[in-house]
Amino acid sequence: MIPRIRPAAAALALAALASGPVHAQTEVQWWHSMGGALGEWVNDLAKEFNASQTQYKIVPTFKGSYDESMTAAIAAFRSGNAPHILQVFEVGTATMMASKGAIVPVGKVMADAGEKFDPAAYVPAVAGYYTAPNGQMLSFPFNSSTPVFHYSKDAFKAAGMDPEKPPTTWPEVALAAGKLKAAGHKCPFTTSWISWTQLESFSAWHNTEFATKGNGMRGMDARLSFNSPLHVRHIENLANMAKTGLFVYKGRGNAADATFVSGECAMITGSSGLYGNVKRNAKFAAGTSTLPYYPDVQGAPQNTVIGGASLWVMSGKKADEYKGVARFFSYLGKTEIAATSHQRTGYLPVTLASFKMTDESGFYKKNPGTDVAVNQMIRKTTDKSRGIRLGNFVQIRTIIDEELEGVWSGKKGPKEALDTAVRRGNEQLERFEKANSR
């Protein structure tokens, strides 16, 4: 028996169909490398944007570490399945800039979609790093960070030190580490991102070149120079601290972050973006201070360099999809959204207006130390401290990790390790230059 459909029910069904959406939402795929608390932040941004309008749907997908997501995106691009938006860490910038057919400059994406976009609204040190020599903004500043000094106030108290007076120089770090060790701490000091914190930002902070040609900002024929007497001296000091148990190496990338959040290590040089994780998960009172420096070096401290990542737009997509990307970027650039992201994560406020809003809200006064990263970055920059933009930088960082691991294990001397890292790294720069010279 076929049941009869009553006229009233049929009318209701037709009305429901008529009132439904005529056009399906345009999906925009976003690949990122934010895990844990930062992954929740990324998902919340997508959800909030999706709820704010009905035309577009941002679909965030975690693709592993920065290295892994970049590798996955290159493979996906070659097979025609690249995402619309790819989060790329700062060391991948030169590679992305050289991949002209694979990306669409963010300035063009915004202009084509009719979205307002003013690079001058962004923090100059951030905007400048992602801008081509012709003045065009290539990628969208998203989670920009800089290295800072995090420490446990509770551990300082327990060791008889003033928790409100963190060390600001490297000799003071060694003294504090000695007191922490004497108080029973098995990991007084550690660091994440060795190359970024102890060589790249170390160089800029001391107004010393990491590489020639303004650290690669003025051309692909740059060569590494981080084996100067100052660099050797610093790695020697860290090696001596490692021998006496004052510095404990905890692995590559951001592996050391977890040892600070858990309370295992009392002091760490790492990303300002660690703040959100510490605030949410640490069971102790933490403080943030500036990156340490050597007080006898003329011109120090200068300014630190950018870290974190930006959002790149991949080529080969439909016009309507690019409109969705532009709308999402406009949303991320809103003053209140950028300010909230900065306050939640510890990443830099990417726009000047979001910095001003955060300052005027009293956030920095209520949360001492949260303005350290900003103040380190907004100092006047020099040719030696503007930033580092090198080809094959991912491979160069791996070489640095390998060579310095020989130092921490006592198998290599600091000068030998740095000399070898420079030689091997320069081979990578030569390859990149040959592959991309026109």
Side-chain angles (χ1 to χ4, degrees), residues 182-207:
H185 240 285
K186 290 181 180 175
C187 178
F189 169 70
T190 190
T191 185
S192 59
W193 301 110
I194 283 272
S195 175
W196 183 46
T197 60
Q198 305 309 319
L199 289 175
E200 297 161 35
S201 268
F202 174 86
S203 300
W205 199 224
H206 290 83
N207 202 29

Side-chain angles (χ1 to χ4, degrees), residues 413-425:
K415 188 174 189 313
E416 180 196 358
L418 290 179
D419 285 345
T420 307
V422 164
R423 177 182 55 76
R424 291 177 62 198

Side-chain angles (χ1 to χ4, degrees), residues 322-370:
Y322 284 130
K323 280 186 181 177
V325 171
R327 279 279 292 278
F328 181 51
F329 285 174
S330 286
Y331 178 81
L332 294 178
K334 283 183 178 178
T335 302
E336 61 274 18
I337 302 300
T340 302
S341 288
H342 160 57
Q343 293 166 32
R344 176 172 174 175
T345 64
Y347 284 118
L348 294 168
V350 290
T351 66
L352 295 165
S354 62
F355 174 45
K356 188 181 177 188
M357 177 181 272
T358 301
D359 190 22
E360 289 175 352
S361 74
F363 179 81
Y364 298 129
K365 284 179 183 173
K366 289 176 204 162
N367 301 275
T370 51

Side-chain angles (χ1 to χ4, degrees), residues 30-48:
W30 176 19
W31 287 8
H32 67 88
S33 299
M34 302 276 91
L38 292 173
E40 290 175 20
W41 165 57
V42 162
N43 289 335
D44 286 347
L45 284 173
K47 277 179 200 167
E48 288 156 13

Side-chain angles (χ1 to χ4, degrees), residues 134-181:
N134 66 3
Q136 187 177 46
M137 194 96 127
L138 297 175
S139 63
F140 187 84
F142 179 56
N143 59 310
S144 294
S145 63
T146 203
V148 294
F149 185 85
H150 300 277
Y151 68 102
S152 167
K153 291 185 177 183
D154 290 2
F156 269 48
K157 271 186 197 170
M161 292 185 283
D162 187 341
E164 302 307 323
K165 286 189 178 175
T168 57
T169 68
W170 281 109
E172 288 172 356
V173 170
L175 284 171
K179 289 178 182 176
L180 288 159
K181 188 189 176 190

Side-chain angles (χ1 to χ4, degrees), residues 179-411:
K179 289 178 182 176
L180 288 159
K181 188 189 176 190
H185 240 285
K186 290 181 180 175
C187 178
F189 169 70
T190 190
T191 185
S192 59
W193 301 110
I194 283 272
S195 175
W196 183 46
T197 60
Q198 305 309 319
L199 289 175
E200 297 161 35
S201 268
F202 174 86
S203 300
W205 199 224
H206 290 83
N207 202 29
T208 303
E209 276 192 336
F210 176 84
T212 62
K213 292 279 180 174
N215 294 315
M217 300 290 271
R218 295 198 307 270
M220 282 192 281
D221 55 341
R223 295 297 179 262
L224 302 170
S225 57
F226 56 77
N227 55 346
S228 76
L230 175 62
H231 293 100
V232 172
R233 168 191 172 188
H234 180 53
I235 299 304
E236 273 177 353
N237 287 340
L238 287 178
N240 289 331
M241 287 177 69
K243 279 176 197 167
T244 52
L246 302 184
F247 163 53
V248 183
Y249 177 65
K250 289 293 185 179
R252 300 183 185 185
N254 67 342
D257 288 355
T259 67
F260 177 73
V261 176
S262 70
E264 179 190 344
C265 296
M267 304 183 291
I268 185 172
T269 45
S271 170
S272 58
L274 180 58
Y275 169 78
N277 188 358
V278 172
K279 188 178 179 183
R280 178 175 167 178
N281 298 313
K283 301 290 191 288
F284 56 86
T288 308
S289 186
T290 53
L291 204 63
Y293 67 100
Y294 289 101
D296 61 330
V297 175
Q298 194 174 357
Q302 178 62 39
N303 62 279
T304 49
V305 292
I306 196 170
S310 63
L311 303 180
W312 291 78
V313 184
M314 305 300 284
S315 64
K317 305 299 180 184
K318 295 173 184 173
D320 190 47
E321 293 167 348
Y322 284 130
K323 280 186 181 177
V325 171
R327 279 279 292 278
F328 181 51
F329 285 174
S330 286
Y331 178 81
L332 294 178
K334 283 183 178 178
T335 302
E336 61 274 18
I337 302 300
T340 302
S341 288
H342 160 57
Q343 293 166 32
R344 176 172 174 175
T345 64
Y347 284 118
L348 294 168
V350 290
T351 66
L352 295 165
S354 62
F355 174 45
K356 188 181 177 188
M357 177 181 272
T358 301
D359 190 22
E360 289 175 352
S361 74
F363 179 81
Y364 298 129
K365 284 179 183 173
K366 289 176 204 162
N367 301 275
T370 51
D371 60 341
V372 166
V374 190
N375 290 327
Q376 282 187 174
M377 285 290 290
I378 61 175
R379 293 167 186 245
K380 187 180 178 183
T381 59
T382 70
D383 277 348
K384 296 173 182 175
S385 71
R386 190 161 285 117
I388 299 168
R389 191 191 285 159
L390 300 170
N392 288 345
F393 207 170
V394 177
Q395 293 91 322
I396 290 168
R397 274 196 177 172
T398 300
I399 288 166
I400 289 168
D401 283 337
E402 289 169 359
E403 293 301 327
L404 290 184
E405 280 167 1
V407 175
W408 316 138
S409 64
K411 292 174 185 172

